[in-house]
PDB file of all heavy atoms in Angstrom:
ATOM      1  N   MET A   1    -182.163-106.768  13.627  1.00 60.00           N
ATOM      2  CA  MET A   1    -181.903-107.492  12.413  1.00 60.00           C
ATOM      3  C   MET A   1    -182.413-108.918  12.566  1.00 60.00           C
ATOM      4  O   MET A   1    -182.241-109.531  13.611  1.00 60.00           O
ATOM      5  CB  MET A   1    -180.398-107.502  12.130  1.00 60.00           C
ATOM      6  CG  MET A   1    -180.029-108.347  10.971  1.00 60.00           C
ATOM      7  SD  MET A   1    -178.258-108.517  10.865  1.00 60.00           S
ATOM      8  CE  MET A   1    -178.015-108.070   9.199  1.00 60.00           C
ATOM      9  N   ARG A   2    -183.018-109.420  11.531  1.00 67.00           N
ATOM     10  CA  ARG A   2    -183.527-110.787  11.552  1.00 67.00           C
ATOM     11  C   ARG A   2    -182.597-111.673  10.732  1.00 67.00           C
ATOM     12  O   ARG A   2    -182.262-111.355   9.607  1.00 67.00           O
ATOM     13  CB  ARG A   2    -184.935-110.837  10.972  1.00 67.00           C
ATOM     14  CG  ARG A   2    -185.442-112.263  10.824  1.00 67.00           C
ATOM     15  CD  ARG A   2    -186.798-112.279  10.234  1.00 67.00           C
ATOM     16  NE  ARG A   2    -187.721-112.050  11.329  1.00 67.00           N
ATOM     17  CZ  ARG A   2    -189.015-111.937  11.176  1.00 67.00           C
ATOM     18  NH1 ARG A   2    -189.553-111.987   9.996  1.00 67.00           N
ATOM     19  NH2 ARG A   2    -189.787-111.748  12.212  1.00 67.00           N
ATOM     20  N   LEU A   3    -182.190-112.778  11.326  1.00 69.00           N
ATOM     21  CA  LEU A   3    -181.335-113.735  10.640  1.00 69.00           C
ATOM     22  C   LEU A   3    -182.172-114.966  10.330  1.00 69.00           C
ATOM     23  O   LEU A   3    -182.718-115.592  11.231  1.00 69.00           O
ATOM     24  CB  LEU A   3    -180.151-114.113  11.536  1.00 69.00           C
ATOM     25  CG  LEU A   3    -179.139-115.091  10.977  1.00 69.00           C
ATOM     26  CD1 LEU A   3    -178.442-114.476   9.765  1.00 69.00           C
ATOM     27  CD2 LEU A   3    -178.129-115.447  12.039  1.00 69.00           C
ATOM     28  N   VAL A   4    -182.294-115.281   9.055  1.00 75.00           N
ATOM     29  CA  VAL A   4    -183.082-116.440   8.621  1.00 75.00           C
ATOM     30  C   VAL A   4    -182.140-117.423   7.965  1.00 75.00           C
ATOM     31  O   VAL A   4    -181.481-117.096   6.979  1.00 75.00           O
ATOM     32  CB  VAL A   4    -184.189-116.019   7.623  1.00 75.00           C
ATOM     33  CG1 VAL A   4    -184.982-117.232   7.178  1.00 75.00           C
ATOM     34  CG2 VAL A   4    -185.091-114.977   8.241  1.00 75.00           C
ATOM     35  N   LEU A   5    -182.059-118.627   8.532  1.00 76.00           N
ATOM     36  CA  LEU A   5    -181.175-119.653   7.993  1.00 76.00           C
ATOM     37  C   LEU A   5    -181.995-120.805   7.432  1.00 76.00           C
ATOM     38  O   LEU A   5    -182.966-121.239   8.044  1.00 76.00           O
ATOM     39  CB  LEU A   5    -180.238-120.176   9.087  1.00 76.00           C
ATOM     40  CG  LEU A   5    -179.297-119.160   9.716  1.00 76.00           C
ATOM     41  CD1 LEU A   5    -178.507-119.805  10.838  1.00 76.00           C
ATOM     42  CD2 LEU A   5    -178.367-118.580   8.681  1.00 76.00           C
ATOM     43  N   ASP A   6    -181.574-121.296   6.308  1.00 81.00           N
ATOM     44  CA  ASP A   6    -182.180-122.469   5.687  1.00 81.00           C
ATOM     45  C   ASP A   6    -181.916-123.699   6.570  1.00 81.00           C
ATOM     46  O   ASP A   6    -180.900-123.762   7.260  1.00 81.00           O
ATOM     47  CB  ASP A   6    -181.537-122.647   4.305  1.00 81.00           C
ATOM     48  CG  ASP A   6    -182.117-123.807   3.548  1.00 81.00           C
ATOM     49  OD1 ASP A   6    -181.583-124.920   3.701  1.00 81.00           O
ATOM     50  OD2 ASP A   6    -183.084-123.597   2.809  1.00 81.00           O
ATOM     51  N   THR A   7    -182.806-124.657   6.528  1.00 87.00           N
ATOM     52  CA  THR A   7    -182.651-125.884   7.310  1.00 87.00           C
ATOM     53  C   THR A   7    -181.331-126.576   6.997  1.00 87.00           C
ATOM     54  O   THR A   7    -180.676-127.115   7.891  1.00 87.00           O
ATOM     55  CB  THR A   7    -183.819-126.845   7.030  1.00 87.00           C
ATOM     56  OG1 THR A   7    -185.039-126.162   7.277  1.00 87.00           O
ATOM     57  CG2 THR A   7    -183.748-128.074   7.909  1.00 87.00           C
ATOM     58  N   ASN A   8    -180.920-126.557   5.741  1.00 87.00           N
ATOM     59  CA  ASN A   8    -179.657-127.195   5.364  1.00 87.00           C
ATOM     60  C   ASN A   8    -178.458-126.501   6.002  1.00 87.00           C
ATOM     61  O   ASN A   8    -177.478-127.152   6.368  1.00 87.00           O
ATOM     62  CB  ASN A   8    -179.492-127.189   3.837  1.00 87.00           C
ATOM     63  CG  ASN A   8    -180.505-128.068   3.158  1.00 87.00           C
ATOM     64  OD1 ASN A   8    -180.856-129.124   3.665  1.00 87.00           O
ATOM     65  ND2 ASN A   8    -180.990-127.626   2.021  1.00 87.00           N
ATOM     66  N   VAL A   9    -178.538-125.202   6.153  1.00 84.00           N
ATOM     67  CA  VAL A   9    -177.445-124.459   6.793  1.00 84.00           C
ATOM     68  C   VAL A   9    -177.363-124.826   8.273  1.00 84.00           C
ATOM     69  O   VAL A   9    -176.279-125.063   8.808  1.00 84.00           O
ATOM     70  CB  VAL A   9    -177.636-122.930   6.625  1.00 84.00           C
ATOM     71  CG1 VAL A   9    -176.589-122.164   7.418  1.00 84.00           C
ATOM     72  CG2 VAL A   9    -177.587-122.547   5.162  1.00 84.00           C
ATOM     73  N   VAL A  10    -178.501-124.915   8.922  1.00 86.00           N
ATOM     74  CA  VAL A  10    -178.529-125.277  10.344  1.00 86.00           C
ATOM     75  C   VAL A  10    -177.998-126.696  10.532  1.00 86.00           C
ATOM     76  O   VAL A  10    -177.184-126.954  11.421  1.00 86.00           O
ATOM     77  CB  VAL A  10    -179.947-125.129  10.924  1.00 86.00           C
ATOM     78  CG1 VAL A  10    -179.996-125.621  12.362  1.00 86.00           C
ATOM     79  CG2 VAL A  10    -180.404-123.678  10.845  1.00 86.00           C
ATOM     80  N   ALA A  11    -178.440-127.627   9.685  1.00 90.00           N
ATOM     81  CA  ALA A  11    -177.967-129.015   9.783  1.00 90.00           C
ATOM     82  C   ALA A  11    -176.460-129.082   9.565  1.00 90.00           C
ATOM     83  O   ALA A  11    -175.744-129.775  10.304  1.00 90.00           O
ATOM     84  CB  ALA A  11    -178.692-129.887   8.775  1.00 90.00           C
ATOM     85  N   SER A  12    -175.952-128.355   8.587  1.00 90.00           N
ATOM     86  CA  SER A  12    -174.515-128.336   8.326  1.00 90.00           C
ATOM     87  C   SER A  12    -173.752-127.752   9.503  1.00 90.00           C
ATOM     88  O   SER A  12    -172.687-128.244   9.870  1.00 90.00           O
ATOM     89  CB  SER A  12    -174.208-127.510   7.072  1.00 90.00           C
ATOM     90  OG  SER A  12    -174.720-128.136   5.936  1.00 90.00           O
ATOM     91  N   ALA A  13    -174.306-126.716  10.110  1.00 89.00           N
ATOM     92  CA  ALA A  13    -173.657-126.090  11.263  1.00 89.00           C
ATOM     93  C   ALA A  13    -173.546-127.062  12.425  1.00 89.00           C
ATOM     94  O   ALA A  13    -172.510-127.143  13.082  1.00 89.00           O
ATOM     95  CB  ALA A  13    -174.437-124.851  11.696  1.00 89.00           C
ATOM     96  N   LEU A  14    -174.605-127.802  12.659  1.00 90.00           N
ATOM     97  CA  LEU A  14    -174.617-128.731  13.791  1.00 90.00           C
ATOM     98  C   LEU A  14    -173.774-129.975  13.533  1.00 90.00           C
ATOM     99  O   LEU A  14    -173.177-130.524  14.463  1.00 90.00           O
ATOM    100  CB  LEU A  14    -176.057-129.132  14.113  1.00 90.00           C
ATOM    101  CG  LEU A  14    -176.965-127.988  14.561  1.00 90.00           C
ATOM    102  CD1 LEU A  14    -178.391-128.477  14.721  1.00 90.00           C
ATOM    103  CD2 LEU A  14    -176.461-127.355  15.843  1.00 90.00           C
ATOM    104  N   LEU A  15    -173.710-130.414  12.287  1.00 94.00           N
ATOM    105  CA  LEU A  15    -173.015-131.665  11.984  1.00 94.00           C
ATOM    106  C   LEU A  15    -171.556-131.483  11.580  1.00 94.00           C
ATOM    107  O   LEU A  15    -170.714-132.309  11.913  1.00 94.00           O
ATOM    108  CB  LEU A  15    -173.755-132.414  10.872  1.00 94.00           C
ATOM    109  CG  LEU A  15    -175.173-132.867  11.222  1.00 94.00           C
ATOM    110  CD1 LEU A  15    -175.860-133.445   9.997  1.00 94.00           C
ATOM    111  CD2 LEU A  15    -175.144-133.892  12.346  1.00 94.00           C
ATOM    112  N   TRP A  16    -171.239-130.425  10.831  1.00 93.00           N
ATOM    113  CA  TRP A  16    -169.898-130.306  10.272  1.00 93.00           C
ATOM    114  C   TRP A  16    -169.166-129.023  10.634  1.00 93.00           C
ATOM    115  O   TRP A  16    -167.961-128.961  10.486  1.00 93.00           O
ATOM    116  CB  TRP A  16    -169.957-130.437   8.742  1.00 93.00           C
ATOM    117  CG  TRP A  16    -170.389-131.798   8.344  1.00 93.00           C
ATOM    118  CD1 TRP A  16    -169.646-132.946   8.414  1.00 93.00           C
ATOM    119  CD2 TRP A  16    -171.666-132.182   7.852  1.00 93.00           C
ATOM    120  NE1 TRP A  16    -170.398-134.005   7.990  1.00 93.00           N
ATOM    121  CE2 TRP A  16    -171.639-133.579   7.632  1.00 93.00           C
ATOM    122  CE3 TRP A  16    -172.825-131.484   7.555  1.00 93.00           C
ATOM    123  CZ2 TRP A  16    -172.729-134.272   7.148  1.00 93.00           C
ATOM    124  CZ3 TRP A  16    -173.914-132.179   7.083  1.00 93.00           C
ATOM    125  CH2 TRP A  16    -173.862-133.557   6.874  1.00 93.00           C
ATOM    126  N   GLY A  17    -169.849-127.991  11.038  1.00 88.00           N
ATOM    127  CA  GLY A  17    -169.164-126.753  11.416  1.00 88.00           C
ATOM    128  C   GLY A  17    -168.871-125.860  10.229  1.00 88.00           C
ATOM    129  O   GLY A  17    -169.677-125.742   9.314  1.00 88.00           O
ATOM    130  N   GLY A  18    -167.708-125.238  10.239  1.00 90.00           N
ATOM    131  CA  GLY A  18    -167.307-124.347   9.145  1.00 90.00           C
ATOM    132  C   GLY A  18    -168.103-123.056   9.135  1.00 90.00           C
ATOM    133  O   GLY A  18    -168.544-122.554  10.173  1.00 90.00           O
ATOM    134  N   THR A  19    -168.300-122.508   7.938  1.00 86.00           N
ATOM    135  CA  THR A  19    -169.015-121.247   7.778  1.00 86.00           C
ATOM    136  C   THR A  19    -170.446-121.311   8.316  1.00 86.00           C
ATOM    137  O   THR A  19    -170.882-120.374   8.989  1.00 86.00           O
ATOM    138  CB  THR A  19    -169.013-120.816   6.298  1.00 86.00           C
ATOM    139  OG1 THR A  19    -167.666-120.708   5.859  1.00 86.00           O
ATOM    140  CG2 THR A  19    -169.713-119.479   6.121  1.00 86.00           C
ATOM    141  N   PRO A  20    -171.194-122.393   8.076  1.00 87.00           N
ATOM    142  CA  PRO A  20    -172.540-122.458   8.645  1.00 87.00           C
ATOM    143  C   PRO A  20    -172.539-122.335  10.176  1.00 87.00           C
ATOM    144  O   PRO A  20    -173.394-121.674  10.753  1.00 87.00           O
ATOM    145  CB  PRO A  20    -173.053-123.828   8.201  1.00 87.00           C
ATOM    146  CG  PRO A  20    -172.328-124.095   6.939  1.00 87.00           C
ATOM    147  CD  PRO A  20    -170.960-123.529   7.166  1.00 87.00           C
ATOM    148  N   ARG A  21    -171.560-122.937  10.832  1.00 89.00           N
ATOM    149  CA  ARG A  21    -171.492-122.834  12.295  1.00 89.00           C
ATOM    150  C   ARG A  21    -171.198-121.405  12.728  1.00 89.00           C
ATOM    151  O   ARG A  21    -171.742-120.913  13.714  1.00 89.00           O
ATOM    152  CB  ARG A  21    -170.448-123.775  12.860  1.00 89.00           C
ATOM    153  CG  ARG A  21    -170.398-123.648  14.399  1.00 89.00           C
ATOM    154  CD  ARG A  21    -169.735-124.778  15.075  1.00 89.00           C
ATOM    155  NE  ARG A  21    -170.514-125.994  14.892  1.00 89.00           N
ATOM    156  CZ  ARG A  21    -170.038-127.214  15.088  1.00 89.00           C
ATOM    157  NH1 ARG A  21    -168.808-127.383  15.484  1.00 89.00           N
ATOM    158  NH2 ARG A  21    -170.794-128.268  14.891  1.00 89.00           N
ATOM    159  N   LEU A  22    -170.342-120.714  11.966  1.00 86.00           N
ATOM    160  CA  LEU A  22    -170.041-119.318  12.285  1.00 86.00           C
ATOM    161  C   LEU A  22    -171.294-118.452  12.174  1.00 86.00           C
ATOM    162  O   LEU A  22    -171.516-117.557  12.992  1.00 86.00           O
ATOM    163  CB  LEU A  22    -168.945-118.787  11.364  1.00 86.00           C
ATOM    164  CG  LEU A  22    -167.564-119.421  11.527  1.00 86.00           C
ATOM    165  CD1 LEU A  22    -166.607-118.891  10.469  1.00 86.00           C
ATOM    166  CD2 LEU A  22    -167.028-119.195  12.921  1.00 86.00           C
ATOM    167  N   LEU A  23    -172.121-118.712  11.155  1.00 82.00           N
ATOM    168  CA  LEU A  23    -173.384-117.978  11.005  1.00 82.00           C
ATOM    169  C   LEU A  23    -174.315-118.235  12.184  1.00 82.00           C
ATOM    170  O   LEU A  23    -174.936-117.321  12.723  1.00 82.00           O
ATOM    171  CB  LEU A  23    -174.082-118.378   9.705  1.00 82.00           C
ATOM    172  CG  LEU A  23    -173.503-117.833   8.420  1.00 82.00           C
ATOM    173  CD1 LEU A  23    -174.144-118.519   7.226  1.00 82.00           C
ATOM    174  CD2 LEU A  23    -173.705-116.338   8.352  1.00 82.00           C
ATOM    175  N   LEU A  24    -174.414-119.490  12.583  1.00 84.00           N
ATOM    176  CA  LEU A  24    -175.279-119.848  13.707  1.00 84.00           C
ATOM    177  C   LEU A  24    -174.799-119.196  15.000  1.00 84.00           C
ATOM    178  O   LEU A  24    -175.597-118.650  15.765  1.00 84.00           O
ATOM    179  CB  LEU A  24    -175.327-121.368  13.845  1.00 84.00           C
ATOM    180  CG  LEU A  24    -176.416-121.959  14.719  1.00 84.00           C
ATOM    181  CD1 LEU A  24    -177.800-121.560  14.222  1.00 84.00           C
ATOM    182  CD2 LEU A  24    -176.297-123.466  14.771  1.00 84.00           C
ATOM    183  N   GLN A  25    -173.500-119.209  15.225  1.00 86.00           N
ATOM    184  CA  GLN A  25    -172.939-118.564  16.418  1.00 86.00           C
ATOM    185  C   GLN A  25    -173.171-117.059  16.408  1.00 86.00           C
ATOM    186  O   GLN A  25    -173.492-116.465  17.439  1.00 86.00           O
ATOM    187  CB  GLN A  25    -171.441-118.858  16.533  1.00 86.00           C
ATOM    188  CG  GLN A  25    -171.132-120.267  16.931  1.00 86.00           C
ATOM    189  CD  GLN A  25    -169.638-120.552  16.919  1.00 86.00           C
ATOM    190  OE1 GLN A  25    -168.846-119.827  16.319  1.00 86.00           O
ATOM    191  NE2 GLN A  25    -169.259-121.645  17.568  1.00 86.00           N
ATOM    192  N   ALA A  26    -173.015-116.440  15.255  1.00 81.00           N
ATOM    193  CA  ALA A  26    -173.247-114.999  15.147  1.00 81.00           C
ATOM    194  C   ALA A  26    -174.690-114.662  15.491  1.00 81.00           C
ATOM    195  O   ALA A  26    -174.965-113.666  16.160  1.00 81.00           O
ATOM    196  CB  ALA A  26    -172.913-114.513  13.737  1.00 81.00           C
ATOM    197  N   GLY A  27    -175.617-115.482  15.044  1.00 80.00           N
ATOM    198  CA  GLY A  27    -177.022-115.262  15.369  1.00 80.00           C
ATOM    199  C   GLY A  27    -177.300-115.410  16.850  1.00 80.00           C
ATOM    200  O   GLY A  27    -178.029-114.623  17.444  1.00 80.00           O
ATOM    201  N   ARG A  28    -176.708-116.423  17.454  1.00 82.00           N
ATOM    202  CA  ARG A  28    -176.892-116.640  18.900  1.00 82.00           C
ATOM    203  C   ARG A  28    -176.337-115.481  19.715  1.00 82.00           C
ATOM    204  O   ARG A  28    -176.886-115.111  20.740  1.00 82.00           O
ATOM    205  CB  ARG A  28    -176.201-117.933  19.328  1.00 82.00           C
ATOM    206  CG  ARG A  28    -176.914-119.166  18.910  1.00 82.00           C
ATOM    207  CD  ARG A  28    -176.188-120.378  19.435  1.00 82.00           C
ATOM    208  NE  ARG A  28    -176.822-121.597  18.990  1.00 82.00           N
ATOM    209  CZ  ARG A  28    -176.211-122.758  18.925  1.00 82.00           C
ATOM    210  NH1 ARG A  28    -174.941-122.856  19.270  1.00 82.00           N
ATOM    211  NH2 ARG A  28    -176.853-123.821  18.517  1.00 82.00           N
ATOM    212  N   GLU A  29    -175.220-114.942  19.259  1.00 82.00           N
ATOM    213  CA  GLU A  29    -174.564-113.855  19.986  1.00 82.00           C
ATOM    214  C   GLU A  29    -175.054-112.481  19.534  1.00 82.00           C
ATOM    215  O   GLU A  29    -174.536-111.464  19.979  1.00 82.00           O
ATOM    216  CB  GLU A  29    -173.048-113.965  19.798  1.00 82.00           C
ATOM    217  CG  GLU A  29    -172.482-115.249  20.371  1.00 82.00           C
ATOM    218  CD  GLU A  29    -171.038-115.487  19.972  1.00 82.00           C
ATOM    219  OE1 GLU A  29    -170.434-114.607  19.329  1.00 82.00           O
ATOM    220  OE2 GLU A  29    -170.525-116.564  20.311  1.00 82.00           O
ATOM    221  N   ARG A  30    -176.032-112.472  18.647  1.00 74.00           N
ATOM    222  CA  ARG A  30    -176.618-111.237  18.124  1.00 74.00           C
ATOM    223  C   ARG A  30    -175.567-110.303  17.536  1.00 74.00           C
ATOM    224  O   ARG A  30    -175.575-109.107  17.754  1.00 74.00           O
ATOM    225  CB  ARG A  30    -177.440-110.521  19.184  1.00 74.00           C
ATOM    226  CG  ARG A  30    -178.587-111.354  19.680  1.00 74.00           C
ATOM    227  CD  ARG A  30    -179.459-110.560  20.631  1.00 74.00           C
ATOM    228  NE  ARG A  30    -180.467-111.406  21.211  1.00 74.00           N
ATOM    229  CZ  ARG A  30    -181.662-111.637  20.664  1.00 74.00           C
ATOM    230  NH1 ARG A  30    -181.979-111.082  19.530  1.00 74.00           N
ATOM    231  NH2 ARG A  30    -182.534-112.423  21.270  1.00 74.00           N
ATOM    232  N   ARG A  31    -174.652-110.877  16.785  1.00 72.00           N
ATOM    233  CA  ARG A  31    -173.618-110.079  16.149  1.00 72.00           C
ATOM    234  C   ARG A  31    -173.525-110.368  14.657  1.00 72.00           C
ATOM    235  O   ARG A  31    -172.449-110.333  14.069  1.00 72.00           O
ATOM    236  CB  ARG A  31    -172.260-110.303  16.816  1.00 72.00           C
ATOM    237  CG  ARG A  31    -171.753-111.714  16.781  1.00 72.00           C
ATOM    238  CD  ARG A  31    -170.351-111.829  17.368  1.00 72.00           C
ATOM    239  NE  ARG A  31    -169.914-113.209  17.342  1.00 72.00           N
ATOM    240  CZ  ARG A  31    -169.368-113.797  16.283  1.00 72.00           C
ATOM    241  NH1 ARG A  31    -169.184-113.131  15.180  1.00 72.00           N
ATOM    242  NH2 ARG A  31    -169.008-115.069  16.340  1.00 72.00           N
ATOM    243  N   ALA A  32    -174.651-110.671  14.046  1.00 61.00           N
ATOM    244  CA  ALA A  32    -174.662-110.929  12.600  1.00 61.00           C
ATOM    245  C   ALA A  32    -174.258-109.660  11.860  1.00 61.00           C
ATOM    246  O   ALA A  32    -174.751-108.582  12.136  1.00 61.00           O
ATOM    247  CB  ALA A  32    -176.039-111.399  12.158  1.00 61.00           C
ATOM    248  N   GLY A  33    -173.376-109.799  10.920  1.00 61.00           N
ATOM    249  CA  GLY A  33    -172.849-108.652  10.180  1.00 61.00           C
ATOM    250  C   GLY A  33    -173.563-108.467   8.863  1.00 61.00           C
ATOM    251  O   GLY A  33    -174.761-108.218   8.811  1.00 61.00           O
ATOM    252  N   ARG A  34    -172.832-108.619   7.789  1.00 62.00           N
ATOM    253  CA  ARG A  34    -173.394-108.431   6.454  1.00 62.00           C
ATOM    254  C   ARG A  34    -174.372-109.544   6.115  1.00 62.00           C
ATOM    255  O   ARG A  34    -174.220-110.667   6.549  1.00 62.00           O
ATOM    256  CB  ARG A  34    -172.282-108.437   5.423  1.00 62.00           C
ATOM    257  CG  ARG A  34    -171.333-107.310   5.575  1.00 62.00           C
ATOM    258  CD  ARG A  34    -170.283-107.398   4.500  1.00 62.00           C
ATOM    259  NE  ARG A  34    -169.307-106.325   4.695  1.00 62.00           N
ATOM    260  CZ  ARG A  34    -168.117-106.341   4.191  1.00 62.00           C
ATOM    261  NH1 ARG A  34    -167.722-107.373   3.463  1.00 62.00           N
ATOM    262  NH2 ARG A  34    -167.300-105.357   4.406  1.00 62.00           N
ATOM    263  N   ALA A  35    -175.336-109.198   5.291  1.00 59.00           N
ATOM    264  CA  ALA A  35    -176.315-110.174   4.836  1.00 59.00           C
ATOM    265  C   ALA A  35    -176.182-110.366   3.326  1.00 59.00           C
ATOM    266  O   ALA A  35    -176.004-109.390   2.596  1.00 59.00           O
ATOM    267  CB  ALA A  35    -177.716-109.720   5.185  1.00 59.00           C
ATOM    268  N   PHE A  36    -176.249-111.587   2.899  1.00 59.00           N
ATOM    269  CA  PHE A  36    -176.158-111.909   1.475  1.00 59.00           C
ATOM    270  C   PHE A  36    -177.357-112.760   1.092  1.00 59.00           C
ATOM    271  O   PHE A  36    -177.772-113.621   1.836  1.00 59.00           O
ATOM    272  CB  PHE A  36    -174.870-112.675   1.166  1.00 59.00           C
ATOM    273  CG  PHE A  36    -173.639-111.898   1.476  1.00 59.00           C
ATOM    274  CD1 PHE A  36    -173.000-112.043   2.691  1.00 59.00           C
ATOM    275  CD2 PHE A  36    -173.132-111.008   0.554  1.00 59.00           C
ATOM    276  CE1 PHE A  36    -171.868-111.324   2.983  1.00 59.00           C
ATOM    277  CE2 PHE A  36    -171.988-110.277   0.847  1.00 59.00           C
ATOM    278  CZ  PHE A  36    -171.350-110.434   2.053  1.00 59.00           C
ATOM    279  N   ALA A  37    -177.890-112.500  -0.082  1.00 59.00           N
ATOM    280  CA  ALA A  37    -179.024-113.289  -0.580  1.00 59.00           C
ATOM    281  C   ALA A  37    -178.955-113.330  -2.098  1.00 59.00           C
ATOM    282  O   ALA A  37    -178.423-112.420  -2.735  1.00 59.00           O
ATOM    283  CB  ALA A  37    -180.339-112.676  -0.142  1.00 59.00           C
ATOM    284  N   SER A  38    -179.490-114.383  -2.639  1.00 62.00           N
ATOM    285  CA  SER A  38    -179.536-114.468  -4.104  1.00 62.00           C
ATOM    286  C   SER A  38    -180.721-113.679  -4.609  1.00 62.00           C
ATOM    287  O   SER A  38    -181.659-113.364  -3.866  1.00 62.00           O
ATOM    288  CB  SER A  38    -179.659-115.921  -4.546  1.00 62.00           C
ATOM    289  OG  SER A  38    -180.920-116.427  -4.182  1.00 62.00           O
ATOM    290  N   THR A  39    -180.718-113.347  -5.878  1.00 63.00           N
ATOM    291  CA  THR A  39    -181.830-112.610  -6.476  1.00 63.00           C
ATOM    292  C   THR A  39    -183.136-113.382  -6.349  1.00 63.00           C
ATOM    293  O   THR A  39    -184.185-112.799  -6.086  1.00 63.00           O
ATOM    294  CB  THR A  39    -181.536-112.335  -7.969  1.00 63.00           C
ATOM    295  OG1 THR A  39    -180.265-111.702  -8.057  1.00 63.00           O
ATOM    296  CG2 THR A  39    -182.572-111.434  -8.581  1.00 63.00           C
ATOM    297  N   ALA A  40    -183.060-114.703  -6.481  1.00 65.00           N
ATOM    298  CA  ALA A  40    -184.272-115.542  -6.375  1.00 65.00           C
ATOM    299  C   ALA A  40    -184.880-115.443  -4.976  1.00 65.00           C
ATOM    300  O   ALA A  40    -186.097-115.444  -4.822  1.00 65.00           O
ATOM    301  CB  ALA A  40    -183.937-116.988  -6.709  1.00 65.00           C
ATOM    302  N   GLN A  41    -184.057-115.354  -3.941  1.00 58.00           N
ATOM    303  CA  GLN A  41    -184.565-115.253  -2.582  1.00 58.00           C
ATOM    304  C   GLN A  41    -185.233-113.914  -2.328  1.00 58.00           C
ATOM    305  O   GLN A  41    -186.127-113.805  -1.500  1.00 58.00           O
ATOM    306  CB  GLN A  41    -183.434-115.462  -1.576  1.00 58.00           C
ATOM    307  CG  GLN A  41    -182.928-116.870  -1.552  1.00 58.00           C
ATOM    308  CD  GLN A  41    -181.722-117.016  -0.637  1.00 58.00           C
ATOM    309  OE1 GLN A  41    -180.906-116.101  -0.531  1.00 58.00           O
ATOM    310  NE2 GLN A  41    -181.613-118.151   0.012  1.00 58.00           N
ATOM    311  N   LEU A  42    -184.794-112.880  -3.004  1.00 57.00           N
ATOM    312  CA  LEU A  42    -185.342-111.550  -2.785  1.00 57.00           C
ATOM    313  C   LEU A  42    -186.638-111.330  -3.544  1.00 57.00           C
ATOM    314  O   LEU A  42    -187.396-110.416  -3.230  1.00 57.00           O
ATOM    315  CB  LEU A  42    -184.318-110.488  -3.207  1.00 57.00           C
ATOM    316  CG  LEU A  42    -183.023-110.475  -2.410  1.00 57.00           C
ATOM    317  CD1 LEU A  42    -182.035-109.487  -3.020  1.00 57.00           C
ATOM    318  CD2 LEU A  42    -183.293-110.149  -0.960  1.00 57.00           C
ATOM    319  N   ALA A  43    -186.925-112.165  -4.540  1.00 56.00           N
ATOM    320  CA  ALA A  43    -188.133-112.008  -5.369  1.00 56.00           C
ATOM    321  C   ALA A  43    -189.378-112.474  -4.651  1.00 56.00           C
ATOM    322  O   ALA A  43    -189.402-113.139  -3.709  1.00 56.00           O
ATOM    323  CB  ALA A  43    -187.968-112.776  -6.667  1.00 56.00           C
TER     324      ALA A  43
END
């Protein structure tokens, strides 16, 4: 599975934590679960 994070998500993860940090940790540990994307991203 490929995990693609927006630069803003990575910056938020490093600076403030929360959900963005959980996503980053999941990617590092290769345990990313469900994937969500907007319709615009899928087009």
Side-chain angles (χ1 to χ4, degrees):
M1 174 189 231
R2 173 181 277 177
L3 181 64
V4 179
L5 299 176
D6 182 270
T7 305
N8 293 323
V9 174
V10 175
S12 293
L14 297 175
L15 297 173
W16 294 287
T19 302
R21 180 162 294 163
L22 294 175
L23 285 170
L24 195 59
Q25 288 175 342
R28 286 183 183 158
E29 297 170 5
R30 299 186 186 272
R31 60 176 179 84
R34 296 181 183 160
F36 298 95
S38 68
T39 307
Q41 291 175 325
L42 297 174

